[in-house]
Amino acid sequence: MTEEQKGKINQMEDFFIDKIADNMTTYGVSPTVGRVLGIIYMNRKPMTLNELSEATGMSKTRMSQVVREMLDLNIAEKIFEKGVRRDLYTVERDYYQTFVSLFTSNWQKVINKNKMFDKKVKTELVSILEQAEISEEDEIKINHLLKETKEWVDYYQWLARLVDFFESGEIFKHVPKT
Amino acid sequence: MTEEQKGKINQMEDFFIDKIADNMTTYGVSPTVGRVLGIIYMNRKPMTLNELSEATGMSKTRMSQVVREMLDLNIAEKIFEKGVRRDLYTVERDYYQTFVSLFTSNWQKVINKNKMFDKKVKTELVSILEQAEISEEDEIKINHLLKETKEWVDYYQWLARLVDFFESGEIFKHVPKT
DNA sequence: CAGTTTGTAAACTTTTTATTTCACAAAGTT
DNA sequence: AACTTTGTGAAATAAAAAGTTTACAAACTG
């Protein structure tokens, strides 16, 4: 086997890593997060911060930051191995599961942020509406906003159901894996 | 009606715009794109670059850039109105449709980028495998990669079906709007 | 206990992305 | 035809994000 062929194999692995990373950025994570995920994935076993630092050519501190982000997103996990002092990290090996994790954590975040919004707006609008002296024009405007609020709430409830549809695995019943 | 109440109404509209923008960033678009979408949405009728520039406090050039990005993403449309010289832009008013448009354009892009990938890798790997002198270790590695390629292809086909599931509106049969 | 190693915060630097300014062609007006 | 207005490139600047260096506490080692 020539050196050239050895190189080819490694090159193919790097191709995969790039593709995984590329795919990943579509979820809104930074390219480095994607790359690290790809690296651990292709490594087929847990890695330490030092190894990652070595593999990416980036500082250990950066790896620490990236790994933490991945833990937050539920796409990596810290694992314990007896006798090993350094922290070891694995990634989800199932592409579908990774998709679901990122999809749900992104949208769940938005849903939570909007939790209190409609109540606040509604209360405020109704209280203005209850005042005696309002021009007709303004009343129309307020009613528009109230209607808008309702639609917004409906949309968010749909989003929540959608997230659940993915998280529960229901999606795979209708869009099967193979 | 006091000035204060007038202010409250405008404030509520701004709240909406911010929430729309915030929601939007989850699709990976810049905050300004989200904000412009929110502004046109709340305006309830098409707007010109000058109006947008006025409303955002940003330069007209920037608005031109933002609007073009929105056209690319299929979340805005240029419309013609006789007698009006300036270009007018509307946005999709249906939150669900906006979700679907962004979801599909994002993932479609990734799917397209990956179109040729697997063929290239597979050809390359098989050609190495056909060489006579390969260490057992390397053979295992290559077979791993081939298996990986297969899984990757399956995943991408699933993604394509998923995109279609949204684009066709099928999703709403299983996660209904109301 | 003195000496390492490990992970991460804090401050700084670099790179990338967002935005503005300036310029100019194309279309519209008078 | 001279004069405006409109939309958008291209280059420059500002703002934000990504990444590094230094420093240090906590957990290990001998």
Side-chain angles (χ1 to χ4, degrees):
Chain A
M1 179 130 197
T2 65
E3 275 311 309
E4 197 197 328
Q5 284 162 345
K6 287 264 188 213
K8 281 272 164 67
I9 297 178
N10 288 331
Q11 203 190 341
M12 291 300 116
E13 283 186 341
D14 288 350
F15 263 158
F16 263 102
I17 292 171
D18 287 349
K19 286 293 158 187
I20 292 172
D22 189 31
N23 181 62
M24 221 45 30
T25 60
T26 308
Y27 303 104
V29 303
S30 79
T32 307
V33 169
R35 193 142 154 262
V36 166
L37 185 133
I39 288 169
I40 302 179
Y41 183 92
M42 291 309 285
N43 189 249
R44 308 184 74 83
K45 52 177 181 265
M47 295 177 79
T48 66
L49 293 182
N50 282 333
E51 287 170 331
L52 288 174
S53 175
E54 164 78 17
T56 56
M58 285 179 186
S59 70
K60 193 154 61 92
T61 300
R62 181 61 185 141
M63 292 305 105
S64 173
Q65 297 164 343
V66 164
V67 158
R68 208 146 12 124
E69 197 179 334
M70 291 170 68
L71 293 176
D72 279 352
L73 292 166
N74 279 314
I75 55 174
E77 218 178 330
K78 190 194 264 199
I79 68 158
F80 296 94
E81 208 168 283
K82 59 182 174 186
V84 179
R85 183 169 155 198
R86 297 180 183 173
D87 294 355
L88 281 167
Y89 300 94
T90 13
V91 295
E92 176 56 60
R93 293 198 64 75
D94 181 336
Y95 295 134
Y96 306 91
Q97 186 52 50
T98 303
F99 184 98
V100 170
S101 291
L102 287 171
F103 184 88
T104 58
S105 55
N106 281 338
W107 288 107
Q108 197 59 62
K109 229 173 274 167
V110 184
I111 293 169
N112 287 335
K113 270 205 237 170
N114 276 268
K115 270 281 163 56
M116 306 312 286
F117 172 67
D118 53 306
K119 280 185 196 101
K120 214 164 53 186
V121 171
K122 214 168 170 181
T123 314
E124 191 78 54
L125 288 175
V126 170
S127 96
I128 300 178
L129 207 55
E130 279 166 352
Q131 308 277 139
E133 340 88 40
I134 296 175
S135 72
E136 195 172 344
E137 185 199 351
D138 281 328
E139 196 174 325
I140 290 171
K141 215 171 183 178
I142 292 173
N143 280 323
H144 258 159
L145 284 174
L146 279 170
K147 200 178 144 220
E148 206 58 66
T149 310
K150 167 110 180 43
E151 280 175 29
W152 191 246
V153 169
D154 285 347
Y155 169 65
Y156 265 74
Q157 284 176 352
W158 177 79
L159 264 187
R161 287 199 303 277
L162 182 66
V163 165
D164 199 56
F165 187 70
F166 276 83
E167 203 168 24
S168 67
E170 182 86 7
I171 180 68
F172 297 113
K173 287 186 195 159
H174 304 97
V175 185
K177 288 185 188 177
T178 46
Chain B
M1 180 124 195
T2 65
E3 274 311 309
E4 197 198 328
Q5 284 162 345
K6 286 262 189 217
K8 282 271 164 67
I9 296 178
N10 288 331
Q11 203 190 340
M12 291 300 116
E13 283 185 341
D14 288 350
F15 263 158
F16 263 101
I17 292 171
D18 287 348
K19 284 294 157 186
I20 292 172
D22 189 30
N23 182 62
M24 220 45 30
T25 59
T26 308
Y27 302 104
V29 303
S30 79
T32 307
V33 170
R35 194 143 153 260
V36 166
L37 185 134
I39 287 169
I40 302 179
Y41 183 93
M42 291 309 285
N43 189 247
R44 308 184 73 82
K45 54 177 181 266
M47 295 176 79
T48 65
L49 293 183
N50 282 333
E51 289 171 329
L52 287 174
S53 176
E54 166 78 17
T56 54
M58 285 180 184
S59 70
K60 194 153 61 90
T61 300
R62 181 60 184 140
M63 291 305 104
S64 173
Q65 297 165 343
V66 164
V67 158
R68 205 140 20 119
E69 197 180 334
M70 290 169 67
L71 293 175
D72 280 352
L73 292 167
N74 280 313
I75 55 174
E77 218 178 330
K78 191 194 264 201
I79 67 158
F80 298 94
E81 209 168 285
K82 59 181 172 185
V84 180
R85 182 170 155 199
R86 297 179 181 173
D87 294 355
L88 281 166
Y89 299 94
T90 13
V91 295
E92 175 58 59
R93 294 199 63 75
D94 181 337
Y95 295 134
Y96 305 93
Q97 186 52 48
T98 304
F99 184 98
V100 170
S101 291
L102 288 171
F103 184 88
T104 58
S105 55
N106 280 339
W107 287 107
Q108 197 60 62
K109 227 172 277 167
V110 183
I111 291 169
N112 286 338
K113 269 205 237 171
N114 275 267
K115 270 281 163 56
M116 305 313 285
F117 173 66
D118 53 306
K119 279 184 197 103
K120 214 166 52 187
V121 171
K122 213 168 170 181
T123 314
E124 189 78 55
L125 287 175
V126 170
S127 96
I128 299 178
L129 208 55
E130 279 166 353
Q131 310 276 138
E133 340 87 40
I134 295 175
S135 72
E136 194 173 344
E137 185 198 353
D138 282 327
E139 196 174 328
I140 289 171
K141 217 170 183 178
I142 292 173
N143 280 323
H144 258 160
L145 284 174
L146 279 170
K147 201 179 143 218
E148 206 59 67
T149 309
K150 169 109 181 42
E151 281 176 28
W152 191 247
V153 170
D154 285 346
Y155 168 65
Y156 265 76
Q157 286 176 350
W158 178 80
L159 265 186
R161 287 199 303 276
L162 183 66
V163 165
D164 199 56
F165 187 70
F166 275 83
E167 204 167 24
S168 67
E170 181 86 7
I171 180 69
F172 297 113
K173 287 187 195 159
H174 304 97
V175 185
K177 288 185 187 177
T178 46

